[in-house]
Amino acid sequence: MKRILVLGSGGQIGSELTMRLREVYGDGNVVATDINPERLTKEIQQTGPTAACDATKAEEIAAIVDKYKIDSIYNLVAILSATAEKNPMLGWNVGMGALLNCLEISREKKCALFTPSSIGAFGDTTPLNGTPQDTIQRPKTIYGVTKVTGELLGDYYYERFGVDARSVRFPGLISNVTPPGGGTTDYAVDIYYAAVKGEDFVCPLKPGTMLDMMYMPDALDAAINLMEADPSKLVHRNSFNITAMHFDPEEIYAEVRKHKPDFKMTYEFDAIRQKIADSWPNWMDDSCAREEWGFAPKYNLQTMTVDMLDKLSKKFGK
Ligand code: NAD
Ligand code: AKB
């Protein structure tokens, strides 16, 4: 059985991935950590080992890897795109600091390593429709620069030292457990919260801004399935394009209104987020992930909307 360390378990992905990993590998085999351990959900705190860990401090990660005999690390530590753009040095220091520590510790202690990349690894000189797996990557955000650097380092550590580093380029992730942490795609989560709470929604992106998206259950499957994939089948490693759907604000609004006809959305665009979104793919080609390790998302905009509204209605007693 694998023994797993999750870094950044308190975040949008970590709060759900940690619980899913515990279901698959056993509660006691998944150590949940965060720089802010109070961010860990009650469920995470009550079902298995937890610790405070600042991933920019190598000695803190190494101590947990030794204590729990860890053989796999899921590194979810980053500052998301819009927040990083307001404080580029923080974005660089946190994203790269955590990743380099994980790579070095994985090399020394023979751990497998999963670190997500993002659609943010592309930029406005990338072909934005049907974005190929291997293409131009010249992002103009600090978040994108850290993601491209991370992809290159992951492949370098694999080729040079045999570190089993693997990664996906996640699109915008939509979920209902922990709110998103300051990204460009957050609006596609926030819209559901507003609809369920009976509030009007002000969309920070313009109509026609097309972006790739995915529902969290498919993202969790993707992370675990990639880490379980037969390495001999992997032509690529760092990092695979994956997507489940793409839409613009008008389309998600129309879908929500099928269930909440009185729901109102207006636009007040946020210059930072709009510029970032305009430089990201409209939709990516994820055929390499499908061919090399069987990526196959289950949710589309319609089925995700039904599930999001149902889960959030229960959460808020609406
Ligand atoms: P998040 O911001 O929700 O969570 C990050 C977590 O890391 C937080 O709980 C935070 O407290 C913790 N953290 C921050 N600094 C830390 C440090 N120094 N040491 C330890 N923990 C620290 O992020 P997320 O949305 O869960 O994203 C996880 C990863 O997935 C990131 O690499 C992100 O770039 C990537 N990603 C996310 C999305 C998305 O839509 N959520 C899409 C593409 C890629
Ligand atoms: C962000 O918007 O920053 C993230 C991402 C797509 O990487 N959700």
Side-chain angles (χ1 to χ4, degrees), residues 173-242:
L173 299 182
I174 295 164
S175 66
N176 48 59
V177 173
T178 300
T184 302
T185 59
D186 296 10
Y187 93 91
V189 179
D190 299 341
I191 189 173
Y192 289 106
Y193 277 76
V196 167
K197 290 178 175 172
E199 295 166 359
D200 292 350
F201 180 63
V202 181
C203 183
L205 297 182
K206 293 177 183 170
T209 309
M210 192 68 77
L211 287 168
D212 276 308
M213 300 280 177
M214 185 180 294
Y215 196 28
M216 189 60 84
D218 284 328
L220 306 184
D221 282 349
I224 294 172
N225 292 344
L226 174 59
M227 292 311 282
E228 287 290 343
D230 175 352
S232 70
K233 302 255 164 62
L234 299 181
V235 180
H236 299 87
R237 279 178 162 267
N238 300 282
S239 171
F240 284 94
N241 284 2
I242 57 167

Side-chain angles (χ1 to χ4, degrees), residues 1-299:
M1 192 57 85
K2 286 183 199 280
R3 295 189 58 84
I4 296 172
L5 167 60
V6 183
L7 299 167
S9 283
Q12 187 192 5
I13 301 177
S15 58
E16 298 195 53
L17 182 59
T18 303
M19 292 310 297
R20 186 63 162 283
L21 289 166
R22 284 184 177 166
E23 265 168 48
V24 175
Y25 300 106
D27 289 346
N29 291 322
V30 179
V31 185
T33 70
D34 203 283
I35 192 171
N36 299 311
E38 66 283 2
R39 281 184 59 107
L40 301 175
T41 61
K42 277 213 180 69
E43 209 184 4
I44 288 180
Q45 293 184 35
Q46 287 166 0
T47 52
T50 63
C53 179
D54 179 348
T56 63
K57 297 189 174 143
E59 66 283 7
E60 293 192 12
I61 305 177
I64 297 170
V65 168
D66 288 343
K67 178 174 174 191
Y68 291 98
K69 301 190 175 18
I70 297 296
D71 56 38
S72 307
I73 301 175
Y74 283 73
N75 166 30
L76 305 175
V77 175
I79 304 295
L80 295 193
S81 58
T83 308
E85 219 38 43
K86 290 176 197 148
N87 191 344
M89 277 304 97
L90 179 73
W92 176 264
N93 289 336
V94 171
M96 298 321 303
L99 177 63
L100 274 168
N101 288 338
C102 286
L103 285 164
E104 272 298 292
I105 287 166
S106 297
R107 178 179 70 77
E108 282 165 18
K109 301 178 187 288
K110 312 239 172 308
C111 297
L113 175 63
F114 175 80
T115 305
S117 183
S118 159
I119 49 175
F122 297 115
D124 58 7
T125 51
T126 300
L128 298 184
N129 293 314
T131 304
Q133 171 65 40
D134 301 308
T135 187
I136 300 164
Q137 289 184 270
R138 305 285 296 178
K140 295 201 176 96
T141 60
I142 192 71
Y143 181 67
V145 172
T146 67
K147 291 305 182 190
V148 176
T149 310
E151 292 185 10
L152 291 170
L153 282 169
D155 277 344
Y156 177 76
Y157 269 73
Y158 171 65
E159 297 286 343
R160 178 80 172 76
F161 303 117
V163 172
D164 188 0
R166 307 184 188 187
S167 172
V168 293
R169 294 178 184 134
F170 277 134
L173 299 182
I174 295 164
S175 66
N176 48 59
V177 173
T178 300
T184 302
T185 59
D186 296 10
Y187 93 91
V189 179
D190 299 341
I191 189 173
Y192 289 106
Y193 277 76
V196 167
K197 290 178 175 172
E199 295 166 359
D200 292 350
F201 180 63
V202 181
C203 183
L205 297 182
K206 293 177 183 170
T209 309
M210 192 68 77
L211 287 168
D212 276 308
M213 300 280 177
M214 185 180 294
Y215 196 28
M216 189 60 84
D218 284 328
L220 306 184
D221 282 349
I224 294 172
N225 292 344
L226 174 59
M227 292 311 282
E228 287 290 343
D230 175 352
S232 70
K233 302 255 164 62
L234 299 181
V235 180
H236 299 87
R237 279 178 162 267
N238 300 282
S239 171
F240 284 94
N241 284 2
I242 57 167
T243 185
M245 61 189 95
H246 53 278
F247 52 75
D248 84 324
E250 291 288 286
E251 286 170 87
I252 186 170
Y253 176 48
E255 198 56 40
V256 172
R257 273 172 57 99
K258 285 184 190 164
H259 306 270
K260 303 267 179 198
D262 296 332
F263 177 54
K264 295 265 178 307
M265 180 170 93
T266 54
Y267 290 95
E268 199 175 298
F269 86 90
D270 169 311
I272 290 181
R273 285 187 165 86
Q274 187 65 48
K275 191 167 176 222
I276 295 173
D278 287 341
S279 75
W280 286 359
N282 297 331
W283 55 278
M284 291 185 289
D285 175 355
D286 62 7
S287 50
C288 291
R290 290 172 190 266
E291 282 158 24
E292 292 175 37
W293 49 278
F295 171 67
K298 298 186 183 73
Y299 285 89

